[in-house]
Every structure is written in C-alpha cells, then in structure tokens.
Amino acid sequence: MREKSFDRLQVVILSVMDNAGVAYRMKEAVEQHGKYDVTSIQAVPHPQEFPHDLILKDSSALQLYKIQSLIYEADVIHYKGDESNWYTSRNWFNLYIPPDKPIVHSAEGTGFRTKQYPREWYNTPHKYVICHDLLDHAEDEWEYAPQPFDCDDSPYLWEMKERPIVAHSPTNRDNKGTDEILSILKELDVDIRLIENVTASKSIEMKRDATLFIDSIKLGGYGVSAQEALQFGIPTISNDGYSASGVMSTSENLKTKLELLFNNPELLKQKSLESFERVKEHHGYKATGKIWTEIYDKALSSSL
C-alpha cells in the first residue's frame, strides 16, 4: 500500500469482490493524475487476484482495526459495485461508516441492469454508472463517469490479415450471446479465437493480434474485456450504442456487420484507428484520473 501523504486528501474505495479489477484501476488513475491518495479495500478476494491494499476476509483483529481507522480518516468513501444498503445502514460488513463522510457510489454491471437491488438503497447524491447503457436502467439522478483503463502508452498493433482472426472472450456466455456469435462465425472464412478460463494477462495476450474482437451482442455496455482489445487498436463489436469503436451489433445483424467490415479493409482500418484513439480519450488514466478527482472534489465540497 502506498505510504499516505499528509498533503494529499484520502479516499477509501470499498468493493465486495472487485469484478474486472475496476477499483484498483481507479486507485492508480487518481493517484497518478489527481490529488488524492486512495486505499482500495476488498471484502473477499477475486479469483484473478487483482491487486488491492487490504482484503477484509479472514482479517485479524489488528487488521480490522486498521481498516476501520482508514475509514474514519478518509475524506471520501467510494462504494464500488451494484449492491447493498450500505447508505441507509452505514454498515459495511460490520465496519462503521460515519454519517459525516461524503459517499460516492459507482454501479457497473448486471445487478444494476436487472434491478436486483432496491433503488432506494442508492440515496447518496453522488451516483455514477461506469457503463453508458446503465443510464437506461437508472430511475433517478445518475451520471456517467468512465471506468479507468491503463492504456495511455499501449502500442498500436492492428494489421489486416489475409484470413481474419476474430476473438471473443465471454465472462458469461448467455449474457454475451456466445452461442450465436460462434454459430455466425462458423459461416465465415475466419479463424475463431475463443478466450475462456485464462488469466487476465493471458486474455490480453490472446487479443493483441486479433483482426476484430466481439465483446457482446446481447447485454448492453462494454467493459474491461473490450478495453483490453481496444487499447491495441483492435476494432470491437458490442451491443452498445456508445461503443468506443463505433461498431454496434446485435444477433440479428452481426453477420451483415462482419461481412461489411471484412469486405472493406479501409473501413476496418478506420474503425481500428478510431478504437485506438477513443479508448485513450475516454478511459486512459490521464483522462479518467482527472474526472474521478473532480467527482471526489464535488462530494467533499458538498459536505463542508
């Protein structure tokens, strides 16, 4: 954990099981390009073992005291995730959240899309979704703030191949539309690269030389999996009107979209260049570190 600085404000990010490693990326972006020191605390470890400062599960009494002290000392508390009634209870796994602490909440996934949790639980005025499509599922004053991704210095690697390589990396086959994707790809003259049950680093490695990446044709919103491809200029298809690559598709028109792209190399190259620039513009640490710093500033100033 980074040594705390007395001339920098303090943020504590609380997440249950930081899916996709968004919390530690927020920490890195804000610490590198903002004015806050950030402590990322995770309730239970993620199978991918994304880096965090502290894990709550199986903590000793001394560790729990340390975590509670960090919460007391924080200038801003950031709840990251789709769940829980922490606001109303001011209780996070039996750790007390003082009522004077400004709270930022960021929602990000399936639990929010399916309205798994009552909306009255989200009663902080500082509410943000990190996927554009989640605004369609919000019932009150939520704003969009992009999730950070460490891509500012990623190299441009895309090149057209005689036989295209189409990669797909489903975290959930039903949500991503994997069966439909594979069925359509088998009708085309392409190499299919299905990326499953591998580490995060291996997943990135397998996307680097793809001609095109298909994120999802069902559940809306693109996330870290898509950004892993976009950072290298790999055009990416998602079922999201805000796609960073500008390529949106559903199961009904996926084959038509693929044939259009593969029959027009210049169009595919244009989408590649758009991907490379826009993912840095929207998700790079320089851009998002500034955005999340401003969010924390707003929450802190409203509590004074």
Side-chain angles (χ1 to χ4, degrees):
M1 183 167 62
R2 172 175 170 158
E3 185 176 347
K4 293 173 64 176
S5 171
F6 290 106
D7 61 351
R8 288 168 65 90
L9 298 169
Q10 307 296 319
V11 172
V12 169
I13 299 179
L14 303 175
S15 55
V16 176
M17 187 183 68
D18 185 20
N19 292 327
V22 175
Y24 91 83
R25 293 187 179 98
M26 286 180 173
K27 167 187 170 70
E28 290 183 338
V30 170
E31 288 192 337
Q32 292 176 23
H33 301 284
K35 64 183 182 184
Y36 289 85
D37 282 336
V38 181
T39 302
S40 174
I41 302 173
Q42 188 172 310
V44 294
H46 190 282
Q48 292 280 9
E49 297 184 350
F50 295 120
H52 285 82
D53 296 315
L54 296 164
I55 302 291
L56 189 61
K57 188 176 186 292
D58 298 328
S59 290
S60 65
L62 181 61
Q63 187 86 320
L64 290 173
Y65 175 79
K66 180 179 182 180
I67 293 173
Q68 183 66 79
S69 296
L70 287 167
I71 291 172
Y72 281 136
E73 295 167 3
D75 296 289
V76 177
I77 300 294
H78 179 169
Y79 289 130
K80 189 210 74 68
D82 292 353
E83 65 281 304
S84 187
N85 60 341
W86 299 323
Y87 307 124
T88 53
S89 67
R90 287 281 171 166
N91 180 299
W92 189 73
F93 295 98
N94 295 320
L95 293 169
Y96 177 63
I97 312 298
D100 62 334
K101 294 294 180 187
I103 290 178
V104 169
H105 184 84
S106 59
E108 61 190 65
T110 303
F112 193 88
R113 290 185 182 96
T114 58
K115 299 183 179 179
Q116 183 175 345
Y117 304 103
R119 286 300 188 261
E120 59 266 23
W121 283 359
Y122 307 112
N123 65 357
T124 174
H126 310 291
K127 299 179 287 192
Y128 300 87
V129 295
I130 63 173
C131 295
H132 260 297
D133 76 290
L134 294 181
L135 290 174
D136 298 331
H137 304 275
E139 296 179 348
D140 46 16
E141 298 299 321
W142 289 76
E143 298 179 60
Y144 168 73
Q147 56 179 300
F149 191 77
D150 188 10
C151 59
D152 290 319
D153 298 319
S154 297
Y156 180 75
L157 299 178
W158 183 85
E159 60 181 10
M160 189 63 187
K161 296 175 176 61
E162 185 174 344
R163 183 178 171 87
I165 299 172
V166 180
H168 175 57
S169 176
T171 49
N172 182 303
R173 281 183 167 231
D174 290 337
N175 289 343
K176 297 290 187 177
T178 298
D179 290 345
E180 294 94 325
I181 290 169
L182 295 178
S183 177
I184 290 169
L185 290 178
K186 288 174 182 176
E187 300 176 18
L188 304 175
D189 185 24
V190 299
D191 286 335
I192 303 171
R193 182 174 293 169
L194 184 62
I195 306 170
E196 286 184 300
N197 302 317
V198 298
T199 64
S201 59
K202 182 64 175 178
S203 175
I204 294 173
E205 179 184 337
M206 295 176 71
K207 294 171 185 174
R208 290 169 65 96
D209 64 340
T211 311
L212 184 139
F213 179 72
I214 301 177
D215 182 38
S216 172
I217 58 171
K218 277 193 172 180
L219 202 61
Y222 68 93
V224 171
S225 184
Q227 292 162 16
E228 290 173 350
L230 292 166
Q231 67 173 323
F232 302 121
I234 310 303
T236 296
I237 287 178
S238 69
N239 184 19
D240 179 9
Y242 302 95
S243 175
S245 63
V247 183
M248 180 183 175
S249 184
T250 64
S251 57
E252 288 76 21
N253 63 10
L254 177 61
K255 184 177 180 181
T256 302
K257 288 282 181 74
L258 291 172
E259 290 175 334
L260 173 65
L261 290 169
F262 291 140
N263 290 330
N264 293 271
E266 288 304 312
L267 175 60
L268 192 56
K269 182 176 182 179
Q270 175 189 334
K271 293 299 181 184
S272 167
L273 293 171
E274 289 176 4
S275 302
F276 188 66
E277 294 301 325
R278 292 187 66 188
V279 74
K280 297 176 187 295
E281 176 186 341
H282 289 280
H283 299 288
Y285 276 7
K286 291 180 182 177
T288 54
K290 178 180 178 182
I291 289 171
W292 282 97
T293 294
E294 291 173 350
I295 287 171
Y296 296 147
D297 283 345
K298 181 179 178 182
L300 184 59
S301 64
S302 68
S303 69
L304 298 178

